[in-house]
Amino acid sequence: MLPGDGPGLALRLPLLLLLLLPTLGPAGGAAPFDPTWDSLDRRPLPAWFDQSKLGIFIHWGVFSVPSFGSEWFWWYWQKEKIQKFVDFMKNNYPPGFKYEDFGPLFTAKFFNASQWADIFQASGARYVVLTSKHHEGFTLWGSEYSWNWNAVDEGPMRDIVKELEVAIRTSTDLRFGLYYSLFEWFHPLFLGDQSSSFQKRQFPVSKMLPELYELVTKYRPEVLWSDGDGGAPDRYWNSTGFLAWLYNESPVRDTVVTNDRWGAGSICKHGGYYTCSDRYNPGHLLPHKWENCMTIDKFSWGYRRDAGISDYLTIEELVKQLVQTVSCGGNLLMNIGPTQDGTISPIFEERLRQMGTWLKVNGEAIYETITWRSQNDTVTPDVWYTSKPKEKLVYAMFLKWPTTGQLILGQPKATLGSTEVKLLGHGQPLHWTTLKVQNGIMVELPHLTSHQMPCKWGWALALTNVM
């Protein structure tokens, strides 16, 4: 039950054969992107991604069965032999139990793709990214190159990727994306290549490249979230050759976005948008589009049975992450971990629905905005700015309602008779005055009871005609 080579290694597609060879240039010289970082990095990012701002990440796989400590359970137990993982297995499973024995227990018995899609739609997210394969190598579709270690042959006996793809595309307006781990911890071909200092390339040639090609052509993901280079450089993975095909010839060539995890040394340097590190939130403007991929569970991407209530971010903390991230030009990719039987636990569902409730009121200050000249206020803490220049709008999002009822904004330069200030969800123009000692304005917030508040957890002012 270890990941095998599987059938179909005699590759039938000429295009795929090209992918497996060192690529010297575009076929016939006609393709717009060469298989070089210099060329690929010049591809404009499809506009929909920057406009979307919020995505949902889903970490789901065989690691959801032990659901203890981390989705890296197999590695921590078998490779690093961390004591708490060793003890967990000793105390809960019989001697001789292997990680592969978790496969049949990954049942997805209660997985309902339509139900998931409804929750994601309600969250206000604009795209979703599912782990099609994590470092354990188990694929959530019937991969031709992962014989007997995939969700169609083992465990669920279902094509999880297809079911979710259909539900997302037929009943929501979200874009469908897939995460894919390039390497696999214990695949014998990868370990063999690793022992040769990656001079051999058996694993990418017979497993990773054909599998990735199969994934793209079969499910047409509009986000391809690569991860897990295993310490190997991009030339080992032939990342530039694959991306040239993806951008030039694949069925998603016009709309697909990719990240920056395509080989050792590529992160925060090459690819579509940058992720730089997990939970990356620099707090300042970056010159390149970026994404803050982060977890609602502070300590794990996969579901944990041993998580306590304080291990989960509150909705206030999540709103702050979103506001900070978008103000600095990033997207927020917010992760949940379903259980092994396919349910989204109430704590995750509540956080997603709370975010959707907040965005129904304040989405105007998030979606399709761009960064302003200032990302945050210099006078009042926890005030963050976005803008829509064509509409002459600047949005000031504030996370604490001032007890005085007066919000001081040090950055906007207002003009009497021209500038208008409104609270999103309230609608009526608010009174404001220019600060005498310094630049900025003081806004008189409306006197509202808790029941009259347009929302909780954070608010947004729409400022028209400010400099």
Side-chain angles (χ1 to χ4, degrees):
M1 291 181 4
L2 275 169
D5 298 340
L9 293 183
L11 303 174
R12 298 176 294 279
L13 297 165
L15 176 59
L16 192 48
L17 285 171
L18 287 175
L19 284 176
L20 305 182
L21 299 171
T23 317
L24 300 176
F33 298 105
D34 297 339
T36 64
W37 286 124
D38 185 58
S39 176
L40 297 168
D41 288 346
R42 287 201 293 266
R43 177 184 182 252
L45 196 70
W48 73 262
F49 184 74
D50 180 57
Q51 294 166 357
S52 296
K53 307 303 183 188
L54 178 64
I56 303 298
F57 215 172
I58 312 163
H59 272 66
W60 199 32
V62 172
F63 52 80
S64 306
V65 179
S67 54
F68 176 81
S70 168
E71 71 289 343
W72 278 54
F73 182 92
W74 194 2
W75 181 264
Y76 292 154
W77 167 40
Q78 293 283 8
K79 181 67 176 180
E80 296 194 4
K81 302 187 187 303
I82 295 174
Q83 197 60 46
K84 75 171 186 176
F85 292 89
V86 174
D87 290 345
F88 175 83
M89 290 304 299
K90 183 179 179 181
N91 295 334
N92 294 283
Y93 294 93
F97 192 96
K98 298 185 175 71
Y99 188 82
E100 296 87 342
D101 296 328
F102 284 124
L105 304 178
F106 178 50
T107 63
K109 183 185 295 185
F110 301 120
F111 170 58
N112 184 323
S114 297
Q115 190 177 57
W116 282 25
D118 289 345
I119 295 171
F120 301 152
Q121 180 75 26
S123 75
R126 295 289 176 88
Y127 60 102
V128 62
V129 179
L130 171 70
T131 51
S132 67
K133 184 195 78 168
H134 201 256
H135 311 325
E136 65 188 11
F138 189 91
T139 66
L140 296 189
W141 82 101
S143 168
E144 188 176 346
Y145 307 95
S146 190
W147 179 78
N148 213 31
W149 191 236
N150 67 75
V152 173
D153 293 338
E154 185 85 288
M157 305 293 183
R158 298 161 67 178
D159 188 336
I160 300 295
V161 174
K162 186 65 178 177
E163 289 185 36
L164 188 60
E165 181 223 342
V166 169
I168 292 293
R169 288 184 163 143
T170 57
S171 61
T172 78
D173 55 10
L174 280 74
R175 306 266 183 164
F176 181 70
L178 292 170
Y179 164 109
Y180 180 86
S181 173
L182 302 178
F183 90 130
E184 296 173 22
W185 285 317
F186 302 112
H187 196 294
L189 292 182
F190 177 76
L191 295 176
D193 291 349
Q194 188 179 47
S195 67
S196 75
S197 299
F198 301 114
Q199 296 306 301
K200 294 180 182 177
R201 298 182 61 248
Q202 292 186 16
F203 181 76
V205 167
S206 62
K207 178 68 159 72
M208 165 261 176
L209 283 165
E211 193 165 71
L212 203 47
Y213 176 83
E214 177 187 66
L215 195 66
V216 170
T217 54
K218 196 169 184 179
Y219 304 106
R220 298 168 292 117
E222 291 184 278
V223 180
L224 189 56
W225 217 100
S226 177
D227 191 28
D229 57 48
D234 63 82
R235 66 180 179 275
Y236 168 79
W237 301 111
N238 194 18
S239 298
T240 55
F242 172 78
L243 289 172
W245 169 79
L246 186 72
Y247 295 165
N248 291 331
E249 301 181 55
S250 80
V252 288
R253 59 187 175 274
D254 296 327
T255 58
V256 71
V257 296
T258 61
N259 65 348
D260 55 351
R261 303 186 181 196
W262 292 99
S266 73
I267 194 167
C268 218
K269 184 177 179 182
H270 295 302
Y273 60 88
Y274 292 170
T275 63
C276 298
S277 66
D278 291 350
R279 303 177 180 87
Y280 183 69
N281 188 8
H284 59 81
L285 187 64
L286 295 185
H288 192 94
K289 183 63 188 180
W290 60 282
E291 181 183 65
N292 174 5
C293 61
M294 47 75 68
T295 57
I296 296 176
D297 176 346
K298 301 172 192 175
F299 304 108
S300 176
W301 297 83
Y303 177 73
R304 288 190 306 139
R305 286 182 286 174
D306 54 323
I309 191 66
S310 62
D311 292 343
Y312 297 98
L313 292 176
T314 65
I315 184 58
E316 290 86 355
E317 290 171 319
L318 290 170
V319 167
K320 183 173 182 176
Q321 286 269 337
L322 176 66
V323 166
Q324 286 181 331
T325 298
V326 173
S327 295
C328 295
N331 280 18
L332 188 72
L333 186 61
M334 192 166 57
N335 180 77
I336 63 167
T339 64
Q340 58 87 19
D341 57 13
T343 58
I344 295 173
S345 63
I347 190 78
F348 287 131
E349 181 174 352
E350 180 185 53
R351 293 294 183 270
L352 296 184
R353 292 188 182 277
Q354 286 173 325
M355 184 63 83
T357 298
W358 189 84
L359 283 166
K360 279 182 180 177
V361 175
N362 301 289
E364 179 187 330
I366 298 291
Y367 305 123
E368 298 173 4
T369 59
I370 64 171
T371 57
W372 194 43
R373 60 174 175 82
S374 294
Q375 280 64 66
N376 59 312
D377 200 70
T378 52
V379 176
T380 303
D382 282 331
V383 175
W384 297 83
Y385 294 103
T386 58
S387 70
K388 290 181 179 175
K390 290 181 181 178
E391 292 86 351
K392 298 181 179 179
L393 281 166
V394 171
Y395 297 96
M397 292 172 282
F398 58 105
L399 302 175
K400 295 176 183 175
W401 191 278
T403 55
T404 61
Q406 298 174 332
L407 183 65
I408 296 175
L409 301 176
Q411 286 300 315
K413 298 175 183 176
T415 306
L416 285 170
S418 176
T419 297
E420 187 175 75
V421 181
K422 291 183 177 180
L423 177 68
L424 294 188
H426 179 254
Q428 299 301 314
L430 304 180
H431 179 69
W432 62 268
T433 54
T434 304
L435 298 177
K436 295 178 181 178
V437 181
Q438 61 196 44
N439 289 329
I441 61 175
M442 181 179 72
V443 179
E444 294 280 353
L445 296 174
H447 299 287
L448 303 173
T449 67
S450 59
H451 296 294
Q452 292 172 325
M453 284 282 188
C455 59
K456 298 183 285 185
W457 317 310
W459 303 265
L461 297 177
L463 314 174
T464 308
N465 294 317
V466 295
M467 298 290 290

